[in-house]
Amino acid sequence: MAHDAVGGGEHTGHAGMGHGAMDMAPAGIPLASGAEDRDGLELDVLHARLGPVLAHWPSGLVLRCTLQGDVIVDAEARLIDAGPSAPNPRISSRHLFVARRCDNAAGLLALAGFDDAASHARRVRDAVLKAGGTAHASRQLYRLRRMVRRSWLLRWSLRRVGPLTERDLARWHLPEHLRGDVRDRLLSMLDRAAQGLAQADGQSTHDQPAVLIEAVADLVRGWDLAAARLIVASLDLEALTADREVSRV
Amino acid sequence: MITHVAFWALAVIAVLAGAAVFIVNSMARASYSLAVSFICVGLQVLLLQQNYVGVVTILMMVMEMAIMAVYMVMFMGMNPALMPMSMVHDKRHALAVSIAVFVLLATGVLLEPWPARRGTPPDDVTAALGEELMGPKMLVMAAVGVVMAVTIVAGVVLAAHRGRYDRFGDDLRRRPARDPQPGGVGR
Amino acid sequence: MTLQTVLLVAAALFSVGLYGALSQQVVVMVMMGLELMLNGLILAAAGFWWFLAPDPSGQVLLLVIIVAMTVEMAVGFAVATALHRVRRVDMTDMAADLSR
Amino acid sequence: MSDPSVRVVAPLWVLAAAGLLGLLVLAAAVLDGALSARAAGADVRTGLTRPIGEVARLMRQRRRVTVAADTLLWRVGGAGLLVMAMMIVTVVPLGDWTLFDLDVGVVWFNAMDVLAWAFVWLTGWGANSAYSLVGGYRFLAHGLGYELPLMFALVAPAVAASSLNVGTIAAAQQGLWFVVWMPVAFLVFCMGVLAIAVWGPFSPALGPDVAGGVSVELSGVDRLLFLSGRYALLAAGAAFAVPMFLGGGAGPLLPAWVWVLVKTLALLAVFVWLRRHLPAARPDLFMEVGWVVLLPAVLLQDLLVAGIALGRS
């Protein structure tokens, strides 16, 4: 659907960037130059960077985007300072797993503008991280899941955004739970948090399979900024554990 | 007295803002100075007791100029508006013609023996306008409606990029439609 | 505020608009000039109405002018978009050159 | 020309109206702070005092400067929302008193709410920052979706009262409030108010996904003006809904002006509460809804109202 704009976009990215226009720079900022866009209007091309520090954004991820209007025609992903985070001995990995899911869900909900649910998710996360809050936390999580599932406005706003089919998953080696659109992924995020919470302490939570950062860049191409932010947030990334060598930007 | 002062102040601002449209070198400033000019004229029309028309002028023109600014930014590409460069042709001729027109109009205005006022304004100007439009001048209203509808259709046809065959496929059966960005109703 | 002064202001607005419409090259700027001319017309019509014949039917003329402006804008934007899409030009001269 | 039930007060009362609007703004900000604090599980009292602390902080903050900003337009846009709200309030009768008894008050409201297009976009444009410009365009995209339904929603009460004067419309609701038999128009009107205040579902122009959108580079007094302008627009919109749909000053026991204030506060509280409760309506989705769903719905409502008005006369 949205990816048909991608075909040409992959190559036009940086190559065509403002050669003739470089000498014209009001206030030291070179003028943008135009390029083909998906609507055939030859809009100006803008280069902007998302991350590494941005609210509700996987920290350390940097997306260098080529924008036309607010549509991302090309993107290139990098990681900075990636490395395994030091494990916190006081919190079990299971609780960390659940907290991470809740945190990601809170970010996604905040990006979708659903502030109440986002605050709620943050409270669940805090309850999980505080040792002993498990019964309380699972009650809260249950309520959060019901709230998210029932909001028809949220369904309307997130459906059909960033759909991933079985084939897409295979192509980018993505884990199974990312299938569907952003809303499906949000629900599966919360479901996995609930599963993690229901497990006994001894059971090890299966390791989060890494998401290739090239996949992140590919997935946001052709979408507008708002949808792209939702898509990135819905990928449920672990902090700084994407499967790539460290590179500096 | 206050009316006179207000009228003159508005007149000066309206003309200066109108001239600024072609002087300032920023797209946003150009379109919004035109908006200011329109707002001043709308307020002057209010002073001339035609409340409905005056307020509608402000309403329409602010909206139009908001859109206008978008089009300016979109279509002026390598723009003269950020770079000070002259984008005019026949500047001198245009100036001469417009000054001549102004002199001609002004002489006409000043020399013409305007007739005395006939009739008095109705009590409720707006209601009178409405009754006029829905009564004796119904034809105007009907024509305006049709023209507006035609304009909407013509505008969309002229500006649209993708037709229904692009959206629904050659047999018009593809559901949901193939759009670069899905819409909110899910057609 | 007399009829003469109102009409003088209207004439000034009209002339400034005429200058813009004649001298500007970019389609959107030409439209701005036209709008300014119509702006002058609105003021003139309002002045005529108030000072000469304040009966209801005169106001209809004003409404028609406003409608004309909106239609002009809408069609103008559509034409500018179509021109831009088809020919990649936004200047009146270029559009004329290419049509030949 | 004007309704005898409404008296025009001396121009100096503008100050009182501005003060009242300021109080409503403060009430709305405090309520929002309290709701936010409650949702975050914090002490509600911290939320109550937060708006005041925020005002103090912004008053002292130094202005941020961006490269090649269009300062004039930026400042105009930032302060404009507050002016708009003030202009709307002038035509709202408070019980028997009004500041400006304009015979086309409804169109006046419409003309003022359209100014939001200009001011929000200008604020986004002036800062010369990519994120704020994206925010500005998002607002215009919303505008294309909500403005026409809003216009036609305003038509319904005017048709029912056969007047464009706000006082007359309020007086025409003796017995039955318009909200009862034109609920669609009322809901669409409320949506329009949320939209001009860039509030709740219509806040993608200020969205966290573009780092605050239009307001990203605003700081200090400019930010204060912009934010309080949003609250003021919410309050002014709620105040305007009272004579349009909620019977104006009608109500038992209390004097008319108290009823107007009570109704305004109630509607304002609902607006504020909605912000946290509803997800954002992204402009690309909302535009289609505005044209395909809301516009026909409001037109049907207008048709219905016109039919009833014709039958009653």
Side-chain angles (χ1 to χ4, degrees):
Chain A
M1 276 196 323
H3 296 281
D4 53 19
V6 171
E10 274 170 358
H11 306 290
T12 51
H14 298 280
M17 180 195 154
H19 289 304
M22 276 312 184
D23 47 333
M24 309 229 284
I29 306 168
L31 287 180
S33 59
E36 275 308 319
D37 71 338
R38 68 177 187 194
D39 301 317
L41 280 175
E42 205 183 335
L43 294 182
D44 284 357
V45 175
L46 176 74
H47 298 274
R49 218 169 54 172
L50 290 178
V53 183
L54 204 59
H56 316 302
W57 180 261
S59 56
L61 178 66
V62 180
L63 268 186
R64 284 174 152 179
C65 301
T66 308
L67 298 172
Q68 277 181 323
D70 69 342
V71 175
I72 298 177
V73 288
D74 196 16
E76 189 191 343
R78 295 274 183 85
L79 277 179
I80 55 171
D81 280 347
S85 51
N88 187 334
R90 282 181 306 170
I91 302 168
S92 74
S93 69
R94 182 172 67 91
H95 283 153
L96 274 180
F97 173 85
V98 176
R100 169 60 57 189
R101 302 288 82 73
C102 290
D103 203 31
N104 284 345
L108 179 51
L109 287 166
L111 286 178
F114 199 172
D115 284 356
D116 255 354
S119 307
H120 203 119
R122 250 175 257 128
R123 285 172 74 177
V124 177
R125 175 200 65 192
D126 294 349
V128 169
L129 289 180
K130 255 187 260 168
T134 317
H136 175 64
S138 50
R139 249 195 336 271
Q140 293 257 25
L141 186 58
Y142 176 74
R143 278 182 50 208
L144 174 66
R145 286 165 70 197
R146 203 178 50 184
M147 188 181 202
V148 169
R149 211 177 286 275
R150 280 193 182 167
S151 168
W152 59 268
L153 209 54
L154 191 69
R155 171 183 317 187
W156 168 75
S157 113
L158 296 187
R159 73 172 179 190
R160 293 174 74 189
V161 178
L164 286 176
T165 58
E166 208 66 66
R167 247 186 36 223
D168 298 327
L169 295 182
R171 185 167 150 214
W172 285 300
H173 311 290
L174 294 173
E176 179 60 23
H177 61 82
L178 293 183
R179 193 172 32 174
D181 55 22
V182 168
R183 180 170 183 270
D184 296 334
R185 290 199 282 274
L186 172 62
L187 292 179
S188 98
M189 211 184 288
L190 293 174
D191 288 347
R192 291 195 316 137
Q195 281 166 18
L197 215 51
Q199 277 169 2
D201 235 340
Q203 281 175 286
S204 68
T205 47
H206 47 113
D207 271 340
Q208 173 85 349
V211 172
L212 287 171
I213 60 166
E214 283 89 354
V216 178
D218 282 344
L219 289 176
V220 299
R221 267 195 209 118
W223 292 93
D224 68 315
L225 218 47
R229 292 292 311 271
L230 290 172
I231 292 171
V232 171
S234 76
L235 292 179
D236 198 11
L237 299 173
E238 293 288 339
L240 308 178
T241 52
D243 183 20
R244 277 284 277 168
E245 78 276 19
V246 181
S247 61
R248 306 260 167 196
V249 178
Chain B
M1 181 59 204
I2 288 182
T3 324
H4 283 269
V5 174
F7 177 83
W8 278 111
L10 289 173
V12 170
I13 299 174
V15 176
L16 287 183
V21 172
F22 307 107
I23 296 172
V24 295
N25 57 1
S26 144
M27 298 170 275
R29 287 192 176 195
S31 27
Y32 280 99
S33 61
L34 188 53
V36 167
S37 178
F38 271 113
I39 290 174
C40 288
V41 167
L43 291 175
Q44 284 180 322
V45 175
L46 269 180
L47 288 181
L48 293 167
Q49 305 294 323
Q50 290 149 88
N51 297 348
Y52 180 75
V53 176
V55 178
V56 161
T57 307
I58 299 176
L59 164 71
M60 304 282 299
M61 291 310 143
V62 171
M63 228 162 132
E64 272 192 24
M65 290 310 132
I67 304 290
M68 178 75 102
V70 173
Y71 273 82
M72 297 268 288
V73 175
M74 193 159 85
F75 284 153
M76 293 194 45
M78 279 298 303
N79 48 63
L82 284 176
M83 295 299 296
M85 94 171 102
S86 183
M87 268 294 182
V88 293
H89 54 178
D90 285 349
K91 193 171 178 176
R92 273 180 312 151
H93 287 130
L95 202 60
V97 168
S98 47
I99 288 176
V101 166
F102 176 72
V103 171
L104 200 69
L105 287 174
T107 15
V109 165
L110 295 176
L111 296 185
E112 172 79 25
W114 295 106
R117 189 180 193 184
R118 73 186 144 78
T120 47
D123 279 345
D124 189 337
V125 178
T126 310
L129 172 63
E131 269 158 26
E132 193 74 10
L133 277 177
M134 286 301 137
K137 298 281 192 300
M138 187 63 158
L139 190 61
V140 174
M141 198 62 195
V144 163
V146 173
V147 167
M148 290 284 200
V150 170
T151 306
I152 293 174
V153 174
V156 172
V157 167
L158 270 173
H161 177 40
R162 290 149 40 82
R164 56 185 174 149
Y165 292 107
D166 298 314
R167 299 190 65 223
F168 296 124
D170 292 338
D171 52 359
L172 295 179
R173 292 230 179 110
R174 181 164 49 213
R175 292 292 185 284
R178 199 174 86 166
D179 290 330
Q181 186 111 23
V185 181
R187 286 174 307 131
Chain C
M1 191 168 67
T2 63
L3 177 59
Q4 274 88 352
T5 56
V6 173
L7 289 182
L8 275 181
V9 176
L13 283 171
F14 186 86
S15 311
V16 174
L18 185 65
Y19 165 74
L22 288 178
S23 67
Q24 295 296 319
Q25 281 188 321
V26 182
V27 177
V28 191
M29 290 299 278
V30 172
M31 282 164 65
M32 305 260 257
L34 291 177
E35 293 280 302
L36 206 53
M37 290 164 74
L38 287 171
N39 194 15
L41 277 188
I42 289 185
L43 189 59
F48 278 128
W49 180 85
W50 178 244
F51 289 107
L52 292 186
D55 55 350
S57 60
Q59 268 189 303
V60 176
L61 178 66
L62 272 167
L63 223 54
V64 170
I65 297 178
I66 295 178
V67 169
M69 288 173 95
T70 37
V71 169
E72 179 238 310
M73 289 288 275
V75 175
F77 285 146
V79 168
T81 309
L83 263 181
H84 195 87
R85 191 167 266 150
V86 177
R87 297 221 177 113
R88 302 264 173 270
V89 292
D90 51 9
M91 309 259 197
T92 47
D93 290 356
M94 293 187 199
D97 288 347
L98 287 171
S99 69
R100 255 181 253 133
Chain D
M1 200 189 239
S2 61
D3 191 73
S5 69
V6 175
R7 277 188 301 128
V8 179
V9 295
L12 219 57
W13 283 93
V14 167
L15 296 177
L20 207 54
L21 189 64
L23 285 180
L24 286 175
V25 167
L26 193 64
V30 165
L31 178 61
D32 190 55
L35 287 176
S36 301
R38 202 190 64 174
D43 190 352
V44 174
R45 274 170 303 178
T46 61
L48 290 178
T49 51
R50 206 168 57 187
I52 295 141
E54 186 73 3
V55 168
R57 184 180 75 83
L58 288 176
M59 297 273 264
R60 292 181 45 198
Q61 192 181 45
R62 188 189 270 188
R63 267 183 178 149
R64 189 182 304 169
V65 180
T66 53
V67 180
D70 195 333
T71 315
L72 174 70
L73 296 185
W74 197 15
R75 302 259 188 277
V76 166
L81 295 186
L82 212 50
V83 177
M84 259 172 76
M86 220 25 245
M87 297 294 234
I88 290 172
V89 167
T90 54
V91 294
V92 177
L94 179 68
D96 302 336
W97 311 301
T98 184
L99 284 167
F100 183 26
D101 190 25
L102 188 65
D103 61 344
V104 289
V106 177
V107 191
W108 176 260
F109 172 84
N110 207 178
M112 291 306 121
D113 81 52
V114 162
L115 288 179
W117 290 43
F119 291 140
V120 177
W121 187 81
L122 284 176
T123 315
W125 166 268
N128 192 24
S129 131
Y131 286 148
S132 74
L133 191 58
V134 168
Y137 282 122
R138 280 185 186 180
F139 185 80
L140 286 188
H142 263 149
L144 291 175
Y146 79 75
E147 192 62 50
L148 273 183
L150 173 61
M151 282 184 183
F152 284 105
L154 290 171
V155 165
V159 166
S162 55
S163 169
L164 288 168
N165 178 285
V166 184
T168 317
I169 291 175
Q173 301 174 55
Q174 300 294 331
L176 191 59
W177 293 0
F178 282 164
V179 64
V180 179
W181 55 291
M182 37 188 95
V184 178
F186 177 68
L187 288 179
V188 171
F189 174 83
C190 290
M191 176 210 76
V193 171
L194 294 183
I196 58 173
V198 206
W199 191 259
F202 295 92
S203 57
L206 306 170
D209 51 344
V210 281
V214 166
S215 65
V216 60
E217 303 289 355
L218 284 173
S219 55
V221 180
D222 297 324
R223 192 181 189 84
L224 181 64
L225 284 179
F226 185 80
L227 295 183
S228 47
R230 288 173 66 211
Y231 281 113
L233 278 176
L234 270 192
F240 193 76
V242 172
M244 288 294 277
F245 293 99
L246 302 177
L253 297 176
L254 299 172
W257 63 273
V258 178
W259 271 115
V260 172
L261 278 183
V262 167
K263 289 172 188 174
T264 305
L265 270 173
L267 194 55
L268 183 59
V270 173
F271 286 163
V272 171
W273 175 77
L274 276 179
R275 178 181 81 88
R276 305 191 52 82
H277 209 70
L278 295 180
R282 283 184 294 122
D284 47 328
L285 298 183
F286 179 74
M287 202 171 327
E288 201 176 45
V289 174
W291 283 87
V292 176
V293 180
L294 294 179
L295 191 56
V298 177
L299 283 176
L300 274 181
Q301 170 84 79
D302 285 348
L303 192 66
L304 189 77
V305 169
I308 294 176
L310 210 61
R312 288 209 303 197
S313 65

